[in-house]
Amino acid sequence: MADHLSEAAKSSGDAGVEALATHDVFNQAPPYGGSNLAAGDPLLLATVSAHVSAWELKDVLAHGAEVGAEAFLELGRQANIHLPALKTHDRHGRRLDQVEFHPAYHDLMAHSFSAGMHSALLDGGVSTQLVRAAKFFLTSQAETGHTCPITMTNAAAAVMAQYPDVCADLLPKMQTRTYDPRFLPMHEKTGITIGMGMTEKQGGTDLRAISSTAEAGNQGSYAITGHKWFFSAPMCDAFLVLAKTANGPSCFLIPRILADGRVNGLRFQRLKDKLGNKSNASSEVEFHRAEGYLLGDEGRGIATIIDMVTPTRIDCALGSAGQMRAAVSRAVHHCRHRKTFGAYLIDQPLMTAVLADMALDVAAATALALRLVRAAAKVETDPVEAAYARLLTPAIKYWICKTGPALTYEAMECLGGNGYVEDYDMARIYRDAPVNPIWEGSGNVMALDVLRALGRHPEAPNLVLSELSKSGGASLSAACSGLPSLAAQALADPAHARVLTERLALTAAVAALKELQLDDVADAFAKTRLSGGWRSTYGILPAGIDAAGILESLYPPAV
C-alpha cells in the first residue's frame, strides 16, 4: 500500500504538489526595513536642519540609512535573542567576573562608537549635541539595549571632565571612535566605556541610604566594600560609584582592571533577568575592597555624580521618542500594505484616526526631546535656556517616557496577532518601552524634581513661560496662563505634582511643534491633549482634524 501511494505521488509530479497546497501567501506586508530612517522623518529633518551645517545634516542622513538597513535591524534581533551570559569563574575555579556577548552586540556598539554617540559631551557645541541626539533617536528605532553603556559613557564625561587630576588620561580614550571590547587595563585600550552604580538593595531613590563604604588607602586610592543592586553594563572599563566615607556619600571612579593588570575587586553575583532591555547586561555586584579614586570632596558624592543625571534623562526621552517612532512606523507600514473589507487598513477611517492620534504623540515627543537638547547645550551661556533645561528636563522625561508603553501597545495592536509574536520586532519594542520611565527616576521622582526646580530657581517659571509663549496661538496662551496656579497648587500639596508635570510637558510640546511651523500638528495636539477632555485610548479625535493629512506629513510613503 505504502509503495503504491509513493509511486502515485511520484507520477503526479508538480500537479500533486499543487493539489496538496492549501493556499498562497498574500495580503501580508513586506518586511520592514531597508529605508533611510532620517530621510523618511520630515519632522526630524526640519528640527536638525535649522541648527546644523550642511555636512552635519549629511552625516545624520547617512546614519539614518545605516540604522534603517535590514542588516542593522538584524543585528538588533540577534543581540536580543542571544543574551549576555555571566562567567563568574574559569574552568579551574579562578574568578573571571566577565560577561560574554553575541558578536551582534559588539557590532552595534562599534557602530554607535563610530558615530560619536558616546562622547559628544566632551566635544561641546549646540550642533554637535543636536547631531548626536538625532543619531541616538535614530539608533533607538533599531535597537535600544546597547545604548545603555553609550549613554552612561557620554553622561560620565560631564563628571569626569571636572576632575583632570584623576581622569585626564582617560578622557582622550572616551573621545576615540574606536570600540575596544578587550578585557585589558584602560591604558592598553584604544577606547573605553564608563558605567555607574548607585542603587542598593535597601533603597533606590534615597541615595543617602547607601551602605557601601570607602576606606582611604595609599597614593590617593580608597578600598570600597559593599554592594550594588543594579550595576549597569558590567563589562564597562570603569564605573562611577557612590560609597560612604566618614563624611558621607562620596563619588569614586572604580576601574574594572587595575593599571598593573590585576582584576579589581568587583564580584558579580548574577545578571538581572529583565522584562526587556535584553541585549544589555545589568548586574548585581559586591565590592571586595575594590580600588577606587575619589572624585570631588568626601561627603559631596551625590552633588558630584548628579551631573550625570541630566544627560541621562535626556537620553531616556530621546530613546523613548525613538521607540515610539519605531512602533508607529511599523504600524503605518503594515497598514499601508494590508487590505481588509476591500480597502487598505490605513484608509479605513477608524484606523486612520488611531494612527494619526499616535503620530501626534510621536511628533510631540520628537520635537520636545530635541528642543531640550538645544536648551541643555546652552545652560552655561543662556539664562533662558538654562531655566528651560532645569525646569523641563524632569517634566519632559516624565511625559515622553510614560507615554511610550501605552503607545507601543496600541501600535502593536495595529498589526493584530502578528504584532504579538516574536517573529516580528514589535514584541521586543513593547518589552523595551517600560525601562526608560523607570531608569534614572520614575514618575514620582520626576514630579518631585519639578517642584524642587521651582523652589531652587524661582526665576525659572517666568523665563520658561515667556519662552513658551513666543510660539503664539490661542491654545498655547491659554495653557501657559494656567500653569502658575497649577504650580502654586502643587507646591502647596505635592499630591498635585503629577498634574503640573504633565501639563508643563504638554504645553512645551505644543510650543516646540509651533516653533517648527507645524501648525496643523500643533493645533491638533493642543486640541486633543490640552482641551481638558477625557481620553483613555488612542483614536478619539474630535471633528475637524485631518487625520490622513497628519499621517501623510509625518509618515510620507517610501519612494
Side-chain angles (χ1 to χ4, degrees):
M1 176 72 73
D3 290 342
H4 175 72
L5 288 176
S6 176
E7 290 301 319
K10 288 178 183 178
S11 64
S12 65
D14 291 341
V17 175
E18 293 284 346
L20 293 173
T22 58
H23 66 282
D24 293 323
V25 177
F26 64 99
N27 198 29
Q28 290 281 346
Y32 179 86
S35 63
N36 187 318
L37 298 182
D41 190 343
L43 188 151
L44 176 68
L45 293 182
T47 305
V48 174
S49 61
H51 302 281
V52 305
S53 66
W55 72 265
E56 287 174 318
L57 180 60
K58 185 177 179 180
D59 186 26
V60 171
L61 285 165
H63 189 85
E66 291 165 3
V67 298
E70 292 178 2
F72 195 88
L73 297 177
E74 177 62 14
L75 289 178
R77 189 186 74 85
Q78 292 285 341
N80 280 272
I81 61 174
H82 301 289
L83 303 186
L86 174 63
K87 303 295 182 183
T88 57
H89 296 77
D90 69 11
R91 68 186 67 181
H92 304 292
R94 301 184 185 95
R95 294 289 313 200
L96 271 182
D97 294 294
Q98 295 183 26
V99 179
E100 294 181 350
F101 293 91
H102 188 267
Y105 173 87
H106 293 301
D107 288 344
L108 292 167
M109 287 290 293
H111 185 270
S112 290
F113 254 68
S114 69
M117 287 163 47
H118 66 296
S119 63
L121 278 180
L122 290 172
D123 299 329
V126 176
S127 64
T128 299
Q129 304 309 315
L130 199 54
V131 167
R132 186 262 178 193
K135 290 179 177 181
F136 193 93
F137 170 79
L138 291 165
T139 301
S140 297
Q141 296 179 44
E143 207 285 319
T144 60
H146 84 283
T147 63
C148 175
I150 296 296
T151 286
M152 289 190 297
T153 302
N154 184 61
V159 176
M160 295 170 64
Q162 299 178 48
Y163 303 101
D165 55 325
V166 177
C167 304
D169 293 339
L170 303 181
L171 296 176
K173 292 182 179 292
M174 294 171 67
Q175 284 182 287
T176 179
R177 295 198 173 194
T178 302
Y179 171 62
D180 186 349
R182 295 177 298 166
F183 196 59
L184 294 171
M186 287 186 283
H187 69 269
E188 297 183 26
K189 298 188 66 170
T190 54
I192 61 174
T193 54
I194 308 295
M196 65 186 296
M198 293 192 284
T199 305
E200 298 190 357
K201 297 172 186 173
Q202 68 279 0
T205 301
D206 185 3
L207 296 178
R208 295 195 175 277
I210 62 171
S211 63
S212 296
T213 60
E215 177 186 343
N218 298 322
Q219 298 179 330
S221 68
Y222 286 72
I224 315 296
T225 302
H227 73 279
K228 295 296 172 184
W229 184 237
F230 280 97
F231 200 65
S232 295
M235 285 304 287
C236 286
D237 297 290
F239 304 87
L240 297 186
V241 171
L242 289 180
K244 282 185 177 180
T245 66
N247 294 313
S250 307
C251 181
F252 298 90
L253 178 73
I254 299 182
R256 190 76 168 77
I257 303 178
L258 302 176
D260 60 8
R262 289 180 296 125
V263 178
N264 208 353
L266 281 69
R267 303 289 184 259
F268 294 103
Q269 305 304 299
R270 61 175 174 169
L271 299 185
K272 296 290 190 180
D273 187 7
K274 298 171 292 184
L275 167 69
N277 196 243
K278 294 285 191 178
S279 66
N280 174 48
S282 300
S283 63
E284 297 171 28
V285 66
E286 290 182 355
F287 302 128
H288 289 242
R289 296 187 66 79
E291 189 173 304
Y293 298 87
L294 181 67
L295 299 183
D297 298 327
E298 286 191 13
R300 295 284 297 163
I302 296 174
T304 299
I305 207 169
I306 206 73
D307 284 338
M308 282 189 73
V309 169
T310 293
T312 303
R313 288 178 176 176
I314 291 173
D315 273 8
C316 285
L318 285 167
S320 287
Q323 288 176 322
M324 292 160 66
R325 175 81 188 184
V328 176
S329 293
R330 284 159 175 77
V332 169
H333 172 80
H334 174 83
C335 292
R336 280 198 170 124
H337 294 89
R338 180 85 162 187
K339 280 187 174 181
T340 183
F341 303 118
Y344 286 107
L345 272 173
I346 200 167
D347 297 323
Q348 300 284 7
L350 267 177
M351 182 60 80
T352 307
V354 169
L355 293 171
D357 206 2
M358 290 191 293
L360 291 176
D361 274 347
V362 177
T366 306
L368 195 51
L370 293 171
R371 175 66 183 88
L372 178 59
V373 170
R374 286 168 41 212
K378 297 180 180 179
V379 165
E380 301 298 329
T381 59
D382 188 325
V384 174
E385 296 296 283
Y388 188 104
R390 288 170 184 145
L391 184 57
L392 286 175
T393 295
I396 290 171
K397 195 265 189 189
Y398 174 98
W399 178 74
I400 293 178
C401 295
K402 291 184 79 65
T403 299
L407 178 140
T408 304
Y409 162 71
E410 192 71 56
M412 177 191 291
E413 188 176 304
C414 293
L415 274 67
N418 286 352
Y420 197 69
V421 299
E422 296 293 343
D423 290 339
Y424 296 77
D425 50 9
M426 285 295 290
R428 169 163 58 90
I429 296 171
Y430 181 61
R431 284 196 305 272
D432 285 347
V435 67
N436 285 334
I438 296 171
W439 190 29
E440 209 55 75
S442 58
N444 284 349
V445 174
M446 295 299 97
L448 291 173
D449 276 357
V450 169
L451 297 187
R452 192 172 293 113
L454 288 173
R456 290 181 178 176
H457 306 284
E459 79 290 350
N462 287 337
L463 290 174
V464 170
L465 287 178
S466 177
E467 175 67 15
L468 297 182
S469 299
K470 282 166 47 177
S471 298
S475 59
L476 189 56
S477 298
C480 288
S481 65
L483 286 173
S485 61
L486 282 177
Q489 186 181 31
L491 286 168
D493 182 359
H496 299 287
R498 283 191 173 218
V499 177
L500 169 65
T501 300
E502 182 164 316
R503 197 75 172 183
L504 267 172
L506 294 176
T507 304
V510 176
L513 291 168
K514 285 280 189 182
E515 184 180 335
L516 293 171
Q517 299 181 342
L518 296 171
D519 289 345
D520 289 345
V521 175
D523 291 342
F525 184 85
K527 189 174 183 179
T528 52
R529 274 67 173 173
L530 290 173
S531 64
W534 175 252
R535 291 165 40 84
S536 59
T537 58
Y538 284 98
I540 305 175
L541 295 177
I545 290 179
D546 181 7
I550 288 170
L551 281 176
E552 285 291 315
S553 66
L554 296 174
Y555 295 83
V559 178

